[in-house]
């Protein structure tokens, strides 16, 4: 009941993000049930059924990632004095976030089930009743256990991932926020207060500096490059093998082999692993060669946010490179892509972009105190807007050519 009350009292932007999670869950559940319908109608083609089910892992992973990002930005999951007073600490807030995520995803799975039943012809009285009965094996009853298992994948995976992401830590338990090395009034005041306290004590303790500790450099770049190279190698090998080397992908996708999908998955994982380090590098480049106030502020914020927005940014780069490779492959030929493939591609791309935007919202929420302190010190609002534009430009300058190069390398074996 408390989770329901917190959900009802949320702002429209929060409700919109939860609605988008339910929509993504509905799309993924629909694809899973369509794979089940294909398996029921083509019992002789077991390999094709397995490939279609494996192809749904990409939308499933994208949906879970988006649901976790939305759960992290939910105001109900943030520690507040009023909630602490009634016994809702970080552990119970984590549980509330997992429940809210599971409810949103379960509603989407229910919508997916209703759509499949309607298209199979089990529900009547609506347009397109039974329009896909042959595709979804409308002449056979849906197996109850398999249907429940597939529809429960998204709610269970999303709720568990949200709970792991929001598990109590030192920073979230104390509700402390960083100041991005800008020397705000809050940090200076706390430092001065600590210094005064130490002056009246016998043990002066370590020297107090008004600036927070620098953010450590992400260390995932070497591993990310290695996984990325492995993905390109797997894709090249699978493309040279031809369609006979493995079962075809749904919708006549590029390459015609499941190895291509595996290569794209490794490429996405490699970019996600390297994303934080590349974002951190972009922040360092902004501060190179005698930076002014604007570049220094933009670079420090970008370095601080590297761990939060780096991975979603890497996934977006992987999706963009995949789209470019497919566009290059189908330059002279019209692709024969079915509606389910289009739905899967839209889900992956939409969830990737939504996760990045949601991570940016979370980063903006976490630096609210810093922004307020800067404005209180007399910093003009144009400085903050200029820093945001400079951060976006730096990321585009660093990751844009990299994405284009990876897309070109991925398209070469497919076009050959």
């Amino acid at each position: 009941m408390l989770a329901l009350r917190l959900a009802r009292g949320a702002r429209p932007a929060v409700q919109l993000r939860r609605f988008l999670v339910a929509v993504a869950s509905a799309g993924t559940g629909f694809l899973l049930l369509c794979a089940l319908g294909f398996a029921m109608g083509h019992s002789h083609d077991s390999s094709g059924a397995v490939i279609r089910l494996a192809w749904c892992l990409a939308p499933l992973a994208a949906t879970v990632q988006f649901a976790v990002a939305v759960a992290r930005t939910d105001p109900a999951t943030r520690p507040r004095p009023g909630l602490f007073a009634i016994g809702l600490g970080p552990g119970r807030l984590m549980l509330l976030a997992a429940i809210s995520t599971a409810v949103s995803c379960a509603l989407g799975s229910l919508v997916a089930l209703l759509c499949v039943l309607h298209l199979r012809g089990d529900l009547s009285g609506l347009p397109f009743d039974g329009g896909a009965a042959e595709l979804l094996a409308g002449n056979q009853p849906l197996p109850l256990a398999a249907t429940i298992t597939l529809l429960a994948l998204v709610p269970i995976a999303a709720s568990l991932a949200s709970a792991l992401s929001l598990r109590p830590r030192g920073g979230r338990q104390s509700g402390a926020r960083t100041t991005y090395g800008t020397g705000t009034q809050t940090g200076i005041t706390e430092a001065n207060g600590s210094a005064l306290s130490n002056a009246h004590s016998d043990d002066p303790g370590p020297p107090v500096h008004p600036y927070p500790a620098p953010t450590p450099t992400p260390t995932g770049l070497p591993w990310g490059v290695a996984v990325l190279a492995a993905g390109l190698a797997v894709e090249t090998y699978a493309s040279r093998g031809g369609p006979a080397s493995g079962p075809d992908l749904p919708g006549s996708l590029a390459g015609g082999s499941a190895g291509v999908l595996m290569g794209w998955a490794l490429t996405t994982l490699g970019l996600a692993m390297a994303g934080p380090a590349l974002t951190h590098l972009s922040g360092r480049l902004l501060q190179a060669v005698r930076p002014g106030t604007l570049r220094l502020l933009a670079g420090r914020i970008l370095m601080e946010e590297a761990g939060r927005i780096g991975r979603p940014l890497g996934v977006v780069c992987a999706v963009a490179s995949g789209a470019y490779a497919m566009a290059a492959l189908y330059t002279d030929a019209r692709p024969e892509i079915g509606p389910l493939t289009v739905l899967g591609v839209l889900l992956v791309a939409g969830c990737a972009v939504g996760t990045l935007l949601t991570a940016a919202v979370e980063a903006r929420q976490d630096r609210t105190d810093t922004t307020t302190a800067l404005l209180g010190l007399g910093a003009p609002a144009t400085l903050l807007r200029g820093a945001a534009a400079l951060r976006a430009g730096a990321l585009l300058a660093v990751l844009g050519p990299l994405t284009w190069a990876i897309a070109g390398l991925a398209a070469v074996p497919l076009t050959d």
Side-chain angles (χ1 to χ4, degrees):
M1 292 300 296
L2 180 59
L4 180 59
R5 288 178 179 271
L6 292 175
R8 290 175 55 190
R11 294 174 298 180
V14 179
Q15 301 287 14
L16 176 61
R17 291 195 290 266
R18 291 170 179 167
F19 173 75
L20 292 178
V21 170
V23 171
S25 176
T28 304
F30 183 80
L31 290 177
L32 290 170
L33 291 183
C34 287
L36 175 62
F38 178 87
M40 294 170 55
H42 301 78
S43 56
H44 59 282
D45 189 7
S46 59
S47 61
V50 171
I51 285 298
R52 278 164 173 76
L53 188 60
W55 185 79
C56 296
L57 292 178
L60 176 61
T63 302
V64 170
Q65 184 190 28
F66 181 47
V68 171
V70 170
R72 290 178 59 89
T73 57
D74 197 331
T77 65
R78 295 182 173 269
R80 286 176 286 179
L83 295 179
F84 276 113
I86 61 176
L88 287 179
R92 294 191 177 183
L93 289 178
M94 175 196 69
L95 181 60
L96 288 177
I99 293 175
S100 300
T101 303
V103 169
S104 299
C105 295
L107 290 177
S109 297
L110 179 60
V111 172
L113 176 61
L114 293 177
C115 291
V116 169
L117 292 177
H118 169 62
L119 293 177
R120 280 170 46 91
D122 297 332
L123 300 178
S124 58
L126 295 174
F128 305 104
D129 181 22
E134 182 178 356
L135 176 64
L136 299 175
N139 57 344
Q140 304 178 37
L142 281 176
L144 181 60
T147 302
I148 294 178
T149 300
L150 292 177
L151 290 179
L153 284 178
V154 177
I156 292 177
S159 59
L160 289 178
S162 300
L164 289 176
S165 177
L166 295 172
R167 65 186 184 274
R169 299 185 182 93
R172 291 192 67 90
Q173 284 180 346
S174 60
R177 295 179 185 271
T178 56
T179 54
Y180 300 97
T182 55
T184 60
Q185 286 181 335
T186 304
I188 295 174
T189 303
E190 292 177 354
N192 292 337
S194 300
L196 290 175
S197 300
N198 292 333
H200 295 286
S201 62
D202 295 334
D203 183 13
V208 180
H209 196 277
Y211 300 97
T215 305
T217 303
T219 58
L221 184 59
W223 289 103
V225 172
V227 175
L228 175 62
L232 293 175
V234 169
E235 181 183 345
T236 302
Y237 178 80
S239 301
R240 289 181 178 178
S245 61
D248 293 339
L249 292 176
S252 301
L253 281 179
S257 172
V260 176
L261 180 61
M262 185 180 300
W264 281 355
L266 289 175
T267 302
T268 303
L269 179 60
L271 284 173
M273 295 173 64
L278 294 174
T279 305
H280 195 274
L281 175 63
S282 302
R284 283 192 174 276
L285 292 178
L286 274 178
Q287 303 173 73
V289 191
R290 301 178 62 182
T293 304
L294 181 62
R295 286 199 292 138
L296 185 63
L297 178 63
R300 289 290 180 89
I301 293 179
L302 201 55
M303 291 170 61
E304 189 73 25
E305 296 175 354
R308 181 176 290 110
I309 68 173
R311 290 184 179 86
L313 195 58
V315 174
V316 170
C317 292
V319 172
S321 64
Y324 177 86
M326 291 183 64
L329 179 63
Y330 293 124
T331 301
D332 300 327
R334 184 176 180 180
E336 298 178 359
I337 299 179
L340 295 181
T341 304
V342 173
L343 176 60
V345 171
L346 290 178
L347 275 175
V348 172
C351 288
V353 175
T355 302
L356 178 60
L357 295 178
T358 307
V361 170
E362 182 189 5
R364 183 178 180 181
Q365 291 175 351
D366 284 346
R367 65 172 184 268
T368 301
D369 294 343
T370 301
T371 303
T372 304
L374 287 174
L375 294 176
L377 289 172
T382 54
L383 177 66
L384 301 178
R385 290 194 292 266
L390 198 57
R391 294 196 303 271
L395 290 175
L396 185 61
V398 172
L399 296 178
L402 177 63
T403 302
W404 179 80
I406 293 175
L409 292 175
V412 167
L414 299 180
T415 53
D416 291 342

